[in-house]
Amino acid sequence: MTDENLQRRLTAILAADVAGYSRLMGADEEGTLAQLKSLRKTLVDPTIAAHRGRIVKTTGDGLLVEFASAVDAARGAAEVQRAMARQNIDVPQDERIEFRIGIHVGDIIIDDNDIFGDGVNIAARLEGIAEPGAICVSDDAQRQIRGKIELAFDDMGPQLLKNIAEPMRAWRLQIDANSPSAPPRKAAETTQPPALPDKPSIAVLPFQNMSGDPEQEYFADGIVEEIITVLSRFKSLFVIARNSSFAYKGKAVEIKQVGRELGVRYVLEGSVRKAGARLRITGQLIDAATGAHLWADKFEGGLLDVFDLQDSVATSVVGAIAPRLVAADTELAKRKPPENWDSYDFYLRGIALFAQRTPETTDQALEFLRKAISLNPEFALAHIRAAACLLLRPEHGGLSLTNEERSEALQLTNRALALAEDNEWVLGWASIIFVLFNGEVERGSDLVDRALAINPNFSNAWAARGWISVIVGDGARALDPFDRAIRLNPADAWTVLSAMQGKMSALWVMERYNEALELADRVLARRPNDLRGLFLKYSTDPDPVRAAAAGDRIRAHFPHLRNSDLRALFYMHSPKHRAMLEEIIARVGLPE
């Protein structure tokens, strides 16, 4: 692309694809292609032209279209979706062709009649989070459309979009929601704001770093994570997980909006100021329904008193939310702080790197966590997080584990349990590590039950419960725990992805292969080289060409992967499913 040919303009971009395309093609390839060709000719292309749109390119089941106006894009998209809804009234759910559409307004680059740029990427990502038969628009597009057409919007809140650095607010365009011609949606597919739980509910927003040093941002984040953990120990509270709260980091948000989007009644916000060896934490509790300030306080002390300060904040918040709670329900499990504060610094940096889930950051996280352990050998959380790095390194694309490293992971896990047998993080990770590395299903199940007894709001433990059910071949029992994990941590992309992976695997165990494949496509839309999604497509896709392509991508993007890694990551305790797994592993053709 030369400078002479490079042109830019502001435009409305529409991206569309067919929901469940792989499933439809697997069931009836020729029929699906014929229907799609007919729809393009009789409905889609004429509607785009009538609303002054230009089809930039087609990609199998997908379309990329540009419009001079976001209003034209919205009207054209709504017309297509209405017509599709009418056409699908008498069509069985699993045979319907339904489009997902994303619309964004942004700057694009034009070259040889093709378009490029972030605007195109954002439209494609919005299409990926749209429901079948729905239209998802960006905040920029919604501002251009609202008030100019007869359609209304549902606020979807901030969304984490793949390869987009910051969460983006998205909106669902209402398409005759009350019309009898609109196809019914399954309850699990609705994106209405979640209902308030039947007990006090709270989200803790990221605290402001008031230290004047951007390098201390990780410290303020770590303080908030610990406060969330302490609050979550109260069984009488519903607490939103840390990563969902952190979707609002660095954004000016309206508290009532946060309450609606996360489905909570109360929001805690505050600040952290670290000066030398002294620490000040301020917090204020707000009723998200009214915006009223219910409580505010500040807590000061030395760095080595940090866990006492966190307990004081949590206890005060609970007292403000539910003053009549039984005293036993408000008893906190006290945390003994690391004797060496530098160890805690290394730990916080390590878990921040681990959360990025790349080969490089996983290795860096392991280094930091090993350093934290060397400075404080009694730091249980550093031990279990280091073991988790080793467990997931192959899945993140890193080096295969040696026998010595597997032994190290088990040793780290046993040590963590010896140091903190009542810590939900330790119990949750230990449950999976013992099952995958040692096949200790009963022990793993007992550990995750203990984690949930200690902290019933711990999304990771619910996910672990789901995975253990999958591993023993009980797919039906796995579905609810994965749904619970998403409800407790709805804005964390990795919690949602892991739960989708788990539900996909549960459906495979239940031999509901078409549904598993559809979920695999959604997983791969979020993360194109997801190992679990590729492995399921390789093993299950009825199209040999698509299955072979998935196998090729596994071998290309995971060059260090070995059969021993697959046996650990996809371990099945059920003899039937273990035999199926071995047959699939043999076909992938990796080294032992």
Side-chain angles (χ1 to χ4, degrees):
M1 190 179 301
T2 64
D3 290 341
E4 293 80 23
N5 294 329
L6 191 147
Q7 302 176 44
R8 289 184 178 272
R9 67 168 172 255
L10 188 68
T11 193
I13 310 107
L14 180 151
D17 78 345
V18 175
Y21 184 67
S22 295
R23 170 179 53 78
L24 293 166
M25 291 290 285
D28 182 6
E29 188 174 77
E30 292 184 2
T32 298
L33 287 174
Q35 285 187 67
L36 193 55
K37 185 176 180 180
S38 175
L39 286 169
R40 285 281 313 277
K41 182 178 180 180
T42 62
L43 172 63
V44 177
D45 291 16
T47 303
I48 290 171
H51 291 277
R52 296 171 289 280
R54 178 178 77 91
I55 297 176
V56 178
K57 58 185 172 186
T58 62
T59 54
D61 66 320
L63 282 173
L64 182 64
V65 187
E66 70 164 325
F67 292 83
S69 158
V71 173
D72 285 341
R75 283 177 172 157
E79 186 174 324
V80 168
Q81 296 292 48
R82 286 195 197 102
M84 291 302 299
R86 289 192 295 270
Q87 176 173 302
N88 281 326
I89 290 176
D90 298 321
V91 179
Q93 182 71 41
D94 61 352
E95 296 177 16
R96 292 175 179 172
I97 289 182
E98 295 181 293
F99 293 111
R100 301 182 302 173
I101 297 176
I103 299 174
H104 178 59
V105 173
D107 190 66
I108 60 169
I109 298 172
I110 305 96
D111 185 67
D112 291 335
N113 290 321
D114 204 348
I115 61 176
F116 306 89
D118 285 344
V120 176
N121 296 335
I122 291 170
R125 300 309 178 199
L126 290 167
E127 166 245 289
I129 65 172
E131 298 173 356
I135 304 167
C136 181
V137 306
S138 68
D139 201 36
D140 290 336
Q142 193 264 355
R143 284 196 295 270
Q144 298 293 322
I145 299 166
R146 67 189 180 197
K148 300 184 178 72
I149 60 175
E150 67 281 6
L151 301 179
F153 296 88
D154 291 327
D155 189 350
M156 298 172 66
Q159 299 289 317
L160 295 171
L161 304 179
K162 180 176 173 60
N163 294 332
I164 307 299
E166 295 292 332
M168 294 193 63
R169 189 177 185 183
W171 301 78
R172 189 190 332 102
L173 191 60
Q174 294 180 2
I175 313 164
D176 294 343
N178 297 321
S179 169
S181 65
R185 300 198 183 281
K186 292 182 266 186
E189 291 178 345
T190 63
T191 56
Q192 295 296 324
L196 289 175
D198 57 0
K199 54 185 176 181
S201 52
I202 185 170
V204 185
L205 294 182
F207 280 18
Q208 274 190 286
N209 169 30
M210 305 295 289
S211 303
D213 180 4
E215 287 295 317
Q216 296 300 325
E217 196 75 24
Y218 76 95
F219 182 87
D221 293 350
I223 293 289
V224 172
E225 181 172 351
E226 290 295 331
I227 291 174
I228 290 173
T229 300
V230 172
L231 283 171
S232 296
R233 292 175 181 274
F234 292 89
K235 298 180 183 180
S236 47
L237 290 181
F238 183 94
V239 183
I240 291 292
R242 179 257 196 205
N243 288 341
S244 287
S245 295
F246 270 61
Y248 299 92
K249 184 176 174 65
K251 300 176 74 70
V253 293
E254 204 265 323
I255 295 300
K256 292 182 181 180
Q257 175 189 333
V258 174
R260 288 193 304 269
E261 292 170 354
L262 295 181
V264 294
R265 179 64 184 271
Y266 304 101
V267 173
L268 178 67
E269 62 181 8
S271 64
V272 177
R273 184 184 297 275
K274 179 182 174 187
R278 300 294 297 171
L279 183 68
R280 173 184 290 178
I281 302 174
T282 63
Q284 54 185 0
L285 183 68
I286 302 168
D287 186 325
T290 65
H293 286 61
L294 304 177
W295 162 90
D297 208 343
K298 65 181 179 182
F299 306 86
E300 297 183 341
L303 289 181
L304 293 181
D305 302 325
V306 64
F307 290 104
D308 290 334
L309 294 175
Q310 290 160 358
D311 286 347
S312 297
V313 174
T315 304
S316 297
V317 170
V318 170
I321 294 174
R324 297 181 182 178
L325 289 177
V326 180
D329 284 338
T330 61
E331 182 177 354
L332 292 172
K334 299 296 181 181
R335 294 290 190 90
K336 181 181 180 181
E339 293 181 2
N340 189 319
W341 190 251
D342 286 341
S343 172
Y344 193 59
D345 280 344
F346 279 109
Y347 167 75
L348 291 177
R349 294 175 188 273
I351 61 174
L353 288 163
F354 177 70
Q356 298 179 41
R357 268 88 168 177
T358 70
E360 297 76 18
T361 57
T362 301
D363 286 341
Q364 292 168 7
L366 185 57
E367 288 183 27
F368 276 123
L369 293 165
R370 282 171 170 161
K371 181 66 174 176
I373 293 167
S374 70
L375 291 172
N376 183 1
E378 296 186 358
F379 195 172
L381 288 175
H383 283 78
I384 200 65
R385 295 279 199 157
C389 284
L390 289 167
L391 170 70
L392 295 180
R393 189 174 70 190
E395 186 173 346
H396 294 172
L399 292 173
S400 176
L401 293 188
T402 64
N403 289 335
E404 292 76 14
E405 286 172 323
R406 290 175 188 274
S407 296
E408 180 189 0
L410 289 169
Q411 290 169 5
L412 287 164
T413 303
N414 280 312
R415 179 60 176 155
L417 280 171
L419 291 168
E421 61 179 7
D422 62 347
N423 181 282
E424 68 273 25
W425 278 97
V426 172
L427 292 165
W429 277 110
S431 68
I432 291 295
I433 290 169
F434 285 135
V435 170
L436 295 183
F437 279 177
N438 262 11
E440 298 180 74
V441 172
E442 289 186 9
R443 185 182 186 188
S445 186
D446 175 66
L447 291 172
V448 79
D449 286 346
R450 287 167 56 192
L452 289 170
I454 291 169
N455 183 355
N457 294 315
F458 189 39
S459 61
N460 286 38
W462 282 111
R465 163 52 60 212
W467 278 113
I468 291 174
S469 296
V470 169
I471 287 166
V472 299
D474 191 352
R477 190 185 176 201
L479 296 177
D480 180 65
F482 288 127
D483 286 336
R484 284 177 179 249
I486 293 174
R487 175 64 184 95
L488 286 165
N489 207 356
D492 177 30
W494 285 103
T495 293
V496 174
L497 180 70
S498 176
M500 289 172 64
Q501 292 171 332
K503 294 181 75 170
M504 170 186 77
S505 303
L507 292 167
W508 180 83
V509 166
M510 298 165 71
E511 300 183 8
R512 291 160 58 177
Y513 297 127
N514 286 341
E515 293 173 80
L517 270 174
E518 184 172 348
L519 205 47
D521 287 336
R522 290 171 57 194
V523 166
L524 291 168
R526 286 173 172 260
R527 194 184 186 204
N529 294 316
D530 182 81
L531 177 58
R532 294 182 185 275
L534 290 172
F535 191 79
L536 188 136
K537 281 189 71 68
Y538 176 77
S539 66
T540 310
D541 200 315
D543 184 330
V545 175
R546 291 198 299 267
D552 290 341
R553 285 168 66 183
I554 290 173
R555 289 182 286 272
H557 291 281
F558 299 89
H560 307 296
L561 203 64
R562 308 178 73 85
N563 286 342
S564 56
D565 297 316
L566 292 178
R567 289 190 185 98
L569 290 170
F570 300 104
Y571 173 75
M572 296 300 296
H573 193 67
S574 151
K576 171 188 172 181
H577 295 107
R578 194 183 309 170
M580 293 171 66
L581 180 66
E582 281 298 328
E583 187 273 331
I584 298 165
I585 288 175
R587 285 195 282 120
V588 176
L590 299 177
E592 283 294 326

